[in-house]
Amino acid sequence: MHKLTKVVLDNGEMALYLDGYYLGSEDDSGDHITLDEIATALQKVPGISVQDVTCPCPDQQDWSWYAVAGEIFTPAVNNYSHREVTVEAFMSRLSAYPADTLCCGTFWLDEDFLEVDETLTPGEIRRAMEIATEHHDANIGYNWDSLRYAAELAKE
């Protein structure tokens, strides 16, 4: 079974996802077939369930549907979402496993972000961590260059 999700922001913009995959987005000024019309048509397809989600428009001027979708489709395991950037969130995730479970990894703290740019505010550090998480590439990992890039974007 497939799930079609229509996400409507409080500013009137909308996007469609099928099984969490982005299908398209638009604002409410188009004269062509609307995403709402597409959603209505797709509801008639056997095996597709529809989920309507209404949420506020992100505060950032350069927000993306990727970030909106991350809030909706990211499963929380033991109250942990990979988008949360706090020690408490990491501890919550790890607490779901026995203490002798093998694992490896690294983590970066606000002091690490201050090493790449000492002028960052706490809000910019949080945003830089969110950007680093959103754009994480497992082939590259987190490194000083990726932190520096995330810090630069957070200040824009």
Side-chain angles (χ1 to χ4, degrees):
M1 169 152 4
H2 302 282
K3 185 187 328 184
L4 177 69
T5 304
K6 179 175 68 172
V7 181
V8 180
L9 302 181
D10 60 4
N11 71 350
E13 294 191 39
M14 182 177 71
L16 284 180
Y17 295 86
L18 183 61
D19 295 333
Y21 293 99
Y22 177 80
L23 297 177
S25 60
E26 69 177 19
D27 60 31
D28 59 355
S29 66
D31 293 330
H32 47 58
I33 186 167
T34 67
L35 291 176
D36 196 45
E37 291 168 326
I38 294 169
T40 299
L42 285 172
Q43 288 180 52
K44 299 175 185 173
V45 176
I48 292 186
S49 67
V50 175
Q51 175 185 19
D52 285 331
V53 176
T54 302
C55 55
C57 184
D59 292 332
Q60 297 87 3
Q61 191 172 35
D62 62 342
W63 65 269
S64 68
W65 280 109
Y66 174 80
V68 173
E71 293 293 325
I72 297 166
F73 296 111
T74 303
V77 177
N78 197 34
N79 295 323
Y80 169 80
S81 165
H82 83 277
R83 294 181 50 85
E84 182 57 43
V85 292
T86 63
V87 170
E88 180 181 25
F90 284 118
M91 290 171 53
S92 176
R93 179 178 186 198
L94 291 173
S95 72
Y97 300 93
D100 60 351
T101 300
L102 295 174
C103 70
C104 68
T106 186
F107 63 94
W108 298 79
L109 299 168
D110 57 353
E111 60 200 39
D112 300 308
F113 282 82
L114 288 172
E115 278 198 43
V116 299
D117 185 340
E118 64 186 25
T119 68
L120 290 170
T121 67
E124 289 169 337
I125 292 171
R126 173 177 280 282
R127 181 67 189 129
M129 287 181 176
E130 291 168 350
I131 290 168
T133 300
E134 290 170 8
H135 296 91
H136 179 256
D137 181 337
N139 291 310
I140 298 169
Y142 294 110
N143 58 52
W144 291 113
D145 289 334
S146 64
L147 268 61
R148 192 172 294 105
Y149 176 72
E152 289 170 8
L153 289 179
K155 292 179 84 170
E156 291 180 359

